Amino acid sequence: MKSFFAVWLLKLLAYLPADWADRTGRTLGRRLDAGNSRAARTTRANVALAFPELDHAAQRWLVRASLKDMGEKAARMARVWVRRENNPDKIQDPENYHLFTDALAAGEGVILLVPHLGNWELLGQWVSEHGPLNAMYRPAKLEGIDALVLAGRQSQGYQVHPTNMQGVAGLLKALKRGEMVAVLPDQEPDAAGGAWATFFGQQALTMTLAQKIAQKRSQARVILASAVKKERRRYQVVLRAVDPAFSQDGGLQHMNDAIEALVREYPAQYQWEYKRFSTQPDGRQLYP
């Protein structure tokens, strides 16, 4: 029943006029905040941990803005997953586009670090227009949502790989062919797939996948990428260079620092409802 309702809601959002869908998404975000939902509680905890310098009013503003953005983002992603809509939002001139074109021209493969900032589905569309895009895919918990998202991504030209060693081998082969590989670097991995690094002043179990791939394919270029909202239904792809020391042992901090710097520019567009600091070295519980 939960899966059926979630799919129904996404289909509704996908076929509403864009303005109505955006407003509906923002309203859902406000309801999550007012109803003291799990997403709201996690967002409040994360904002307090990441921005202790903000007073209570500023933190509350960021929480509300983040949840409204989450709802609007869901509405826009629904148009990609359900309607297979190509570029539903106009993308402004990419920032640092030369980093991307130079990396593609080198022909040694490109590793894109794609944090949960802005609209990553729209970013995937934009990237896949420039060449083959490879990414790992972990099935969603709800079967109906999983089928919808997977079909939507494959329709965009994604080459989807399983989240296991076979999948890692597939990514390495793609880089060897000079293709692009996208990695979500801010998901909390299991202990075997992560190492500790600081993120927004907190200890964060950080995924080592991108670093290990970069070590094995040292010729590949590494770029931090996001599609962030600039104004009403207009996005800009933001591309940033990552410190080359990232691929060295102990270099995960460089990756987290680059992600944090970008998130601080667009804090309301980050996925604060995700329990990024769920695991702590001393076993503390940071979430209510």
Side-chain angles (χ1 to χ4, degrees):
M1 179 62 71
K2 188 176 182 181
S3 177
F4 173 83
F5 176 75
V7 171
W8 176 86
L9 179 59
L10 285 175
K11 288 183 176 180
L12 173 65
L13 291 171
Y15 285 101
L16 283 174
D19 283 341
W20 291 14
D22 287 351
R23 286 197 294 269
T24 302
R26 289 193 295 269
T27 299
L28 289 173
R30 286 193 293 268
R31 292 288 180 86
L32 288 174
D33 183 33
N36 197 34
S37 65
R38 180 173 63 179
R41 295 194 301 272
T42 302
T43 299
R44 291 177 197 129
N46 277 331
V47 167
L49 289 167
F51 299 97
E53 71 278 9
L54 297 181
D55 61 24
H56 178 72
Q59 289 186 1
R60 286 294 299 138
W61 179 89
L62 181 53
V63 168
R64 292 191 189 100
S66 176
L67 290 170
K68 286 193 294 183
D69 179 78
M70 179 191 71
E72 183 179 298
K73 191 179 304 178
R76 297 187 177 194
M77 289 182 176
R79 299 175 74 87
V80 176
W81 297 332
V82 177
R83 298 178 62 175
R84 312 288 191 263
E85 193 169 83
N86 190 32
N87 286 339
D89 303 281
K90 294 181 180 179
I91 297 178
Q92 297 176 347
D93 293 338
E95 179 185 305
N96 296 322
Y97 189 39
H98 68 281
L99 292 176
F100 188 67
T101 54
D102 290 350
L104 289 177
E108 298 291 349
V110 183
I111 300 172
L112 296 170
L113 304 179
V114 183
H116 288 84
L117 174 70
N119 190 324
W120 48 91
E121 297 293 342
L122 182 60
L123 176 69
Q125 280 192 338
W126 181 86
V127 169
S128 61
E129 290 177 350
H130 293 77
L133 174 62
N134 299 260
M136 283 185 160
Y137 180 77
R138 178 182 296 171
K141 293 180 180 179
L142 298 179
E143 184 177 346
I145 296 294
D146 177 60
L148 203 63
V149 174
L150 182 58
R153 289 182 179 175
Q154 289 176 328
S155 73
Q156 298 170 41
Y158 277 63
Q159 297 297 314
V160 178
H161 302 266
T163 54
N164 54 29
M165 293 308 298
Q166 179 185 352
V168 174
L171 297 184
L172 289 171
K173 289 178 181 177
L175 289 173
K176 189 174 181 179
R177 294 192 297 267
E179 296 177 1
M180 294 175 285
V181 165
V183 178
L184 303 176
D186 54 347
Q187 287 183 320
E188 187 176 88
D190 57 29
W196 295 104
T198 303
F199 186 56
F200 278 92
Q202 306 297 322
Q203 284 294 299
L205 188 59
T206 302
M207 186 183 295
T208 57
L209 173 63
Q211 184 189 51
K212 289 178 178 178
I213 291 175
Q215 289 172 345
K216 291 183 179 181
R217 289 294 302 172
S218 59
Q219 309 96 318
R221 306 286 181 91
V222 183
I223 301 173
L224 180 66
S226 289
V228 296
K229 185 173 65 176
K230 287 293 187 177
E231 54 188 71
R232 183 173 174 269
R233 282 201 296 281
R234 291 184 67 85
Y235 278 72
Q236 182 178 37
V237 171
V238 176
L239 304 162
R240 300 285 169 84
V242 177
D243 192 317
F246 151 72
S247 62
Q248 300 173 10
D249 290 339
L252 284 178
Q253 191 59 56
H254 295 289
M255 179 180 76
N256 278 5
D257 288 346
I259 297 170
E260 179 177 334
L262 185 55
V263 172
R264 286 187 178 277
E265 293 182 39
Y266 307 95
Q269 297 186 46
Y270 191 61
Q271 193 182 34
W272 294 111
E273 69 274 13
Y274 176 68
K275 294 183 177 181
R276 182 65 184 89
F277 310 112
S278 182
T279 303
Q280 289 295 297
D282 56 7
R284 287 181 302 149
Q285 294 296 318
L286 298 182
Y287 298 102

